[in-house]
Amino acid sequence: MSEVAIRPTTPADAPAILALHIAAASRGGGLAREPDEMDLAGVEGALAKPFINGVALTAWIDGALAGEIHASRLGPRQFDNSLTDLTVAVHPDFQGRGVGAALFEALFDRAVALSPKVDRVELFCREGNAHAVRLYQRLGFGIEGRLVRRVRLADGTVVDDLLMAKFL
């Protein structure tokens, strides 16, 4: 099995990240947007804040973009210890190969190196996304809250969103 190479995301990665997000969302990858809601400007906008005030990383296997993760600080200094608005996506062709876990571990390493130091990473996850919930719990995230009936899925089903956090 080829090794996962993690590196900081660059603005030039945006088109490949868009393709990754479309592939992941097309197979029910747990992203908040449907493929027809995604475009290059949206990806570039989502990456702008982590480039300035957070962490954005890509994972590569044999020269192919296998996954990406990004998170940023909320804004006011009182929240500088937290990274939030986290998005992670792994291309369906590379799922089950440790890409997601590698991205998270690299994010944690970089988060504690930020100044001021980050000691909390938070994310939202649909309650029904059992695979993702298990992964996040295995990585040390705990469920802190529930936003009842927050997410309307494409089929009309309305599900809860779980707030999960990990302390570094």
Side-chain angles (χ1 to χ4, degrees):
M1 183 183 308
S2 298
E3 186 174 320
V4 177
I6 307 286
R7 68 162 174 77
T9 304
T10 69
D13 294 324
I17 291 171
L18 172 60
L20 164 72
H21 284 200
I22 289 171
S26 294
R27 296 201 190 161
L31 295 174
R33 287 181 175 74
E34 296 292 325
D36 66 339
E37 296 178 289
M38 298 179 189
D39 61 24
L40 186 57
V43 170
E44 291 168 341
L47 292 172
K49 195 169 180 185
F51 284 158
I52 295 167
N53 200 13
V55 177
L57 303 167
T58 52
W60 301 82
I61 297 177
D62 295 332
L65 180 61
E68 77 91 14
I69 192 169
H70 63 269
S72 59
R73 296 178 200 253
L74 188 57
R77 282 191 306 265
Q78 67 182 348
F79 300 112
D80 274 355
N81 67 305
S82 299
L83 285 183
T84 191
D85 200 18
L86 187 145
T87 296
V88 61
V90 175
H91 193 285
D93 293 345
F94 296 101
Q95 291 179 0
R97 295 175 63 178
V99 173
L103 282 164
F104 270 102
E105 292 302 333
L107 179 113
F108 301 151
D109 289 346
R110 284 168 176 79
V112 297
L114 292 173
S115 180
K117 183 181 173 186
V118 168
D119 61 10
R120 175 187 169 90
V121 177
E122 58 189 37
L123 57 82
F124 289 96
C125 181
R126 288 181 213 140
E127 179 182 39
N129 192 346
H131 176 75
V133 172
R134 280 192 306 274
L135 170 65
Y136 302 149
Q137 289 176 324
R138 203 169 54 245
L139 292 169
F141 284 86
I143 296 172
E144 292 190 330
R146 171 185 307 273
L147 294 140
V148 177
R149 299 180 46 88
R150 182 175 192 228
V151 181
R152 183 176 311 277
L153 303 176
D155 68 0
T157 305
V158 180
V159 298
D160 295 354
D161 220 1
L162 303 176
L163 170 60
M164 301 183 77
K166 174 184 172 84
F167 293 93
L168 304 175

